[in-house]
């Protein structure tokens, strides 16, 4: 039986979707069978960010409505055969969404996959509530901005009320220079503020935006700093203690030509 994990955030725009894609890709590279579920109902984007939008025929709502079997709605990744996506539907009305049907789908997927990763909507919308009802483990994504940390802290309180005990967080878009200048909160301050397990960080890198826009996960480039960040995060997810990567300033040539 596999494990279902919700990837969430308190604030939108912190890079939650790119985080789940790259975590899923590295897990698949390690030989695990992984299924991503896009729970951002009405605002789906995982299929586009993975370059799979033209392969989408059915979606999560079609499965819940009985229009197609689960196996027909899942899209296999082009690069990793053990990575799949169950896309969301952009026309769904959240009021008609049945959480119990989602839980049944997640339980079915857990019999087929090692990891089922749910990309939840930011904040405390219905999609978020339905998603955390299907999991026992949650990973929060935040930046070092005060507003993002404040919203993340609020989500932690909600998760505690819902009985979720296994929580951890990832700092995305970490900019070492801005920390040194005191522009944003330091990493140690963020750890003390949230007071839950810390999985790791992802450096602020324009390569992430380039990868998202071209439908190719950043971790496909195994020599990059982004790969090192996500590799350490995944190893810590799997219970292995590994040191976090150190920031390396890019040369002018790397900045110009990637």
């Amino acid at each position: 039986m596999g494990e279902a994990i919700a990837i969430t955030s308190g604030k939108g725009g912190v890079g939650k979707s790119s985080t789940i894609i790259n975590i899923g890709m590295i897990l698949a590279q390690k030989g695990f069978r992984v299924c991503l579920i896009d729970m951002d109902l009405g605002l789906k984007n995982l299929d586009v960010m993975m370059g799979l939008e033209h392969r989408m025929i059915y979606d999560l709502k079609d499965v819940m409505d009985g229009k197609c079997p689960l196996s027909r709605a899942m899209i296999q990744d082009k690069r990793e055969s053990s990575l799949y996506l169950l896309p969301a539907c952009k026309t769904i009305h959240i009021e008609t969404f049945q959480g119990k049907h989602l839980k049944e789908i997640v339980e079915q997927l857990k019999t087929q996959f090692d990891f089922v990763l749910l990309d939840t909507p930011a904040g405390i919308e219905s999609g978020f509530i339905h998603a955390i009802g299907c999991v026992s483990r949650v990973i929060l994504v935040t930046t070092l901005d005060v507003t993002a940390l404040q919203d993340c802290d609020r989500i932690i309180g909600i998760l505690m009320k819902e009985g979720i005990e296994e929580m951890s967080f990832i700092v995305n878009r970490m900019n070492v220079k801005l920390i040194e200048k005191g522009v944003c909160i330091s990493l140690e301050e963020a750890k003390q503020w949230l007071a839950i397990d810390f999985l790791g960080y992802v450096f602020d890198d324009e390569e992430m935006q380039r990868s998202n826009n071209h439908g190719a996960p950043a971790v496909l480039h195994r020599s990059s700093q982004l790969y090192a960040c996500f590799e350490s995060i995944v190893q810590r997810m799997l219970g292995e203690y590994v040191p976090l990567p150190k920031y390396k300033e890019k040369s002018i040539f790397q900045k110009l030509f990637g």
Side-chain angles (χ1 to χ4, degrees):
M1 181 70 75
E3 181 181 11
I5 304 173
I7 313 291
T8 192
S9 64
K11 182 179 174 64
V14 297
K16 173 176 50 63
S17 295
S18 59
T19 298
I20 193 173
I21 289 171
N22 286 287
I23 286 176
M25 179 61 73
I26 286 193
L27 284 169
Q29 290 171 348
K30 290 181 176 295
F32 294 103
R33 284 181 55 79
V34 184
C35 182
L36 311 181
I37 302 180
D38 193 343
M39 285 293 302
D40 214 344
L41 308 173
L43 294 170
K44 69 181 187 69
N45 53 25
L46 287 190
D47 56 328
V48 175
M49 294 169 69
M50 295 174 72
L52 300 174
E53 67 273 22
H54 298 305
R55 298 191 176 189
M56 178 180 164
I57 300 174
Y58 299 106
D59 54 48
L60 176 60
K61 184 65 165 54
D62 291 323
V63 178
M64 296 175 71
D65 289 344
K67 294 181 179 178
C68 74
L70 180 57
S71 59
R72 292 289 302 278
M74 292 188 297
I75 309 172
Q76 187 177 38
D77 185 71
K78 300 174 184 178
R79 293 135 303 215
E80 286 292 335
S81 60
S82 58
L83 178 63
Y84 288 78
L85 169 67
L86 181 55
C89 176
K90 64 181 179 180
T91 59
I92 193 171
H93 294 290
I94 192 63
E95 295 81 7
T96 65
F97 191 84
Q98 297 294 319
K100 64 178 181 179
H101 293 161
L102 174 66
K103 192 164 187 176
E104 291 171 359
I105 290 171
V106 171
E107 289 301 314
Q108 186 176 343
L109 288 171
K110 284 166 62 177
T111 66
Q112 304 172 38
F113 292 90
D114 299 302
F115 291 96
V116 180
L117 306 181
L118 288 77
D119 182 15
T120 80
I124 54 175
E125 297 177 1
S126 298
F128 165 78
I129 299 299
H130 290 316
I132 63 173
C134 303
V135 304
S136 58
R137 182 179 179 185
V138 176
I139 297 174
L140 295 105
V141 180
T142 184
T143 64
L144 293 176
D145 291 330
V146 170
T147 53
L149 287 164
Q150 180 174 281
D151 289 348
C152 194
D153 195 30
R154 184 185 179 199
I155 294 297
I156 291 171
I158 294 171
L159 292 172
M160 288 179 173
K161 289 181 181 179
E162 293 294 324
I164 302 292
E165 296 181 355
E166 194 170 353
M167 291 180 279
S168 54
F169 78 100
I170 295 168
V171 171
N172 194 32
R173 297 177 186 157
M174 192 174 84
N175 190 310
V176 175
K177 291 183 178 179
L178 293 183
I179 294 174
E180 292 174 346
K181 293 178 180 179
V183 174
C184 58
I185 298 295
S186 72
L187 186 58
E188 290 306 313
E189 287 176 302
K191 290 179 183 178
Q192 293 173 12
W193 189 334
L194 300 182
I196 58 175
D197 290 340
F198 172 62
L199 276 183
Y201 47 66
V202 180
F203 293 122
D204 189 15
D205 193 324
E206 64 182 21
E207 182 59 36
M208 183 68 81
Q209 184 177 359
R210 182 181 293 111
S211 297
N212 292 340
N213 287 335
H214 288 82
V219 295
L220 293 176
H221 305 288
R222 298 200 181 197
S223 60
S224 69
Q225 285 194 121
L226 290 175
Y227 178 86
C229 289
F230 281 109
E231 168 70 12
S232 64
I233 286 170
V234 169
Q235 286 182 279
R236 287 174 170 230
M237 275 180 61
L238 297 174
E240 304 172 31
Y241 178 79
V242 293
L244 296 173
K246 294 183 179 179
Y247 178 74
K248 296 179 181 178
E249 179 69 34
K250 286 188 176 183
S251 66
I252 294 178
F253 180 83
Q254 288 174 314
K255 290 179 180 178
L256 289 175
F257 301 104

